[in-house]
Amino acid sequence: PKSTFFGVDLDQDSISKASATLQHTSLTNVTFTCKDLGDLPPGSVDLVVNHDCIHDLKDPIGALRAVRRALRPGGAFLSMEPMVGDSLEENNTPGGGLSYGISLLHCMTVSLAQGGMGLGAGSFGPKTYEGIAREAGFTEFRKVGSNMVNHFYEL
């Protein structure tokens, strides 16, 4: 009851849709804002949650640094990313083929179009993600669960 929640996204259409949906609820402790994750004030949040986007970003290391900076001491980052391995051999499955296709047509393209790393979902497995997270300054990284399509990590 004393918690506040806010969602941020660079896409104004997504923020508008979320805000419109929110108006049909009784929630009074939720807001949505169109802003860059890097603009979150240092030490301002206890929990950051992302859903399937770090691998799409222009600068995933910079984004993770921004998350780490925004977390209060003792805060946590819960991250959901595609259930893929770190190599072609690990992803030689029907699901792996689908991930590579989606990655080529969306994930990598989004990042590369902005001059980014172009990581994509195809090989953004646990070892790759952990390496990037540690480069961004996270000292803790663990997989806390999975479902049919995603891994869940706590940083």
Side-chain angles (χ1 to χ4, degrees):
K2 295 181 182 180
S3 299
T4 57
F5 302 88
F6 64 94
V8 298
D9 199 295
L10 290 174
D11 181 59
Q12 183 57 55
D13 287 342
S14 296
I15 294 297
S16 296
K17 288 175 187 176
S19 297
T21 301
L22 181 62
Q23 291 179 357
H24 300 287
T25 74
S26 61
L27 299 173
T28 59
N29 59 344
V30 179
T31 58
F32 296 102
T33 307
C34 187
K35 69 171 13 178
D36 189 293
L37 185 62
D39 295 334
L40 293 177
S44 61
V45 296
D46 294 310
L47 175 67
V48 174
V49 179
N50 90 282
H51 299 282
D52 194 12
C53 68
I54 299 299
H55 66 276
D56 293 331
L57 300 176
K58 172 184 177 182
D59 181 12
I61 296 167
L64 291 173
R65 285 183 179 137
V67 167
R68 190 174 52 79
R69 193 172 41 249
L71 289 170
R72 290 185 180 120
F77 177 38
L78 178 64
S79 180
M80 180 185 84
E81 289 292 329
M83 181 189 277
V84 296
D86 292 286
S87 68
L88 179 60
E89 294 78 20
E90 291 175 273
N91 295 319
N92 191 13
T93 65
L98 178 64
S99 290
Y100 279 114
I102 293 169
S103 184
L104 180 63
L105 295 173
H106 176 74
C107 308
M108 290 174 56
T109 308
V110 168
S111 178
L112 291 171
Q114 299 174 55
M117 295 176 71
L119 291 173
S123 59
F124 194 69
K127 292 175 190 169
T128 301
Y129 193 6
E130 182 173 8
I132 288 170
R134 294 202 183 278
E135 188 173 340
F138 281 95
T139 57
E140 301 291 324
F141 182 94
R142 66 186 183 109
K143 188 169 80 170
V144 295
S146 299
N147 63 20
M148 290 179 61
V149 294
N150 295 296
H151 288 309
F152 301 93
Y153 303 96
E154 180 183 5
L155 288 73

